[in-house]
Amino acid sequence: MRNLVLLSERRNAITVPGDSFPSVPEGCDHDASICSMARDPSADDGGADDHHHRHFHPDEGATSTPSSFYLTRRGILIATSCAASDGVCWTCNLNEVVSVPEDPAAASSPCWFDVTYVDDLDALVCLSRRGAIVTVEKRSGVAELVGEFDNGIKAGCWSPDKEVLALYTHTDSEEGQADVQERDIEKPPALMTMNAQFEVLAEVVPESNILPSASLVADEASV
């Protein structure tokens, strides 16, 4: 209980420049909330134990190594450091390195859902529901597109040791196509695992009795 009290005494407010966020067409979802967070376990937070409400402001001359990273649903990655007064070390717009849908509404819809620090890469790995996998260098904030799944990524998660990435996507293969019409699914689902170098370790198309049917999902959602 004492730990909870101590944590509540230190509050860090992150102030990010307004021009860091991409413009949103009228009528589209404006949600820019943080959806995922990551931390570099090797980073030194300076042991900051101040009990004041510290406002972080960006500093173009910041040299501190970021320790915490925040991803918004719109693809803005924010790197912060608690060891220095500069606070926000850099921001990165992930959408600048991925393919953009022709439909303006689809292009502006929030689709990013996960950021993870991977020790073997010494970088951040970000996942998009539109199928993009992007790595970001933790010190400079430089983003690089690893690849894109044409059928999107429904879900993804790293193993505790960050050596294996599990993905749930869809496949264009003929395997499981007979199941598609019965289950009212556009394309067969696929489960995939990759290592930290993004080499595919295994890929399987689940049998129909593993995943619930579309009608069952609809019935459960209406309960």
Side-chain angles (χ1 to χ4, degrees):
M1 197 64 183
R2 176 175 173 76
N3 289 337
L4 292 177
V5 174
L6 291 178
L7 287 174
S8 67
E9 291 179 353
R10 187 176 67 197
R11 303 170 183 173
N12 296 329
I14 301 174
T15 303
V16 183
D19 57 3
S20 298
F21 295 90
S23 59
V24 180
E26 185 176 354
C28 296
D29 188 349
H30 285 67
D31 185 4
S33 58
I34 291 175
C35 62
S36 182
M37 297 177 286
R39 178 170 173 79
D40 177 3
S42 65
D44 180 15
D45 62 4
D49 57 355
D50 57 293
H51 302 295
H52 302 287
H53 188 179
R54 179 193 303 169
H55 287 272
F56 286 163
H57 297 280
D59 182 355
E60 295 181 356
T63 59
S64 301
T65 300
S67 57
S68 299
F69 308 88
Y70 305 86
L71 176 66
T72 71
R73 296 179 64 222
R74 289 203 168 279
I76 303 301
L77 185 62
I78 307 166
T80 68
S81 172
C82 293
S85 59
D86 47 47
V88 176
C89 299
W90 49 256
T91 61
C92 174
N93 186 352
L94 303 177
N95 301 291
E96 294 179 351
V97 298
V98 302
S99 300
V100 180
E102 295 181 359
D103 182 3
S108 62
S109 63
C111 64
W112 298 89
F113 69 93
D114 183 78
V115 58
T116 302
Y117 173 76
V118 180
D119 301 69
D120 288 351
L121 301 174
D122 194 24
L124 291 307
V125 178
C126 303
L127 305 178
S128 161
R129 300 214 184 273
R130 285 205 289 264
I133 299 180
V134 176
T135 60
V136 182
E137 208 285 323
K138 72 174 184 180
R139 294 177 179 82
S140 64
V142 175
E144 179 179 356
L145 178 65
V146 175
E148 294 177 300
F149 289 86
D150 293 337
N151 299 315
I153 299 175
K154 304 294 289 184
C157 184
W158 287 87
S159 61
D161 59 8
K162 306 300 186 295
E163 293 185 359
V164 177
L165 172 62
L167 298 174
Y168 171 29
T169 180
H170 290 275
T171 179
D172 291 317
S173 66
E174 296 182 358
E175 184 180 0
Q177 285 288 354
D179 222 20
V180 173
Q181 295 180 350
E182 297 179 6
R183 291 161 47 77
D184 191 24
I185 299 176
E186 294 182 358
K187 295 181 179 181
L191 304 179
M192 176 185 299
T193 55
M194 309 174 77
N195 59 22
Q197 286 67 48
F198 304 106
E199 300 169 331
V200 177
L201 302 176
E203 180 178 1
V204 297
V205 177
E207 298 180 358
S208 59
N209 60 346
I210 295 180
L211 299 176
S213 64
S215 59
L216 178 58
V217 172
D219 292 341
E220 291 179 347
S222 63
V223 175

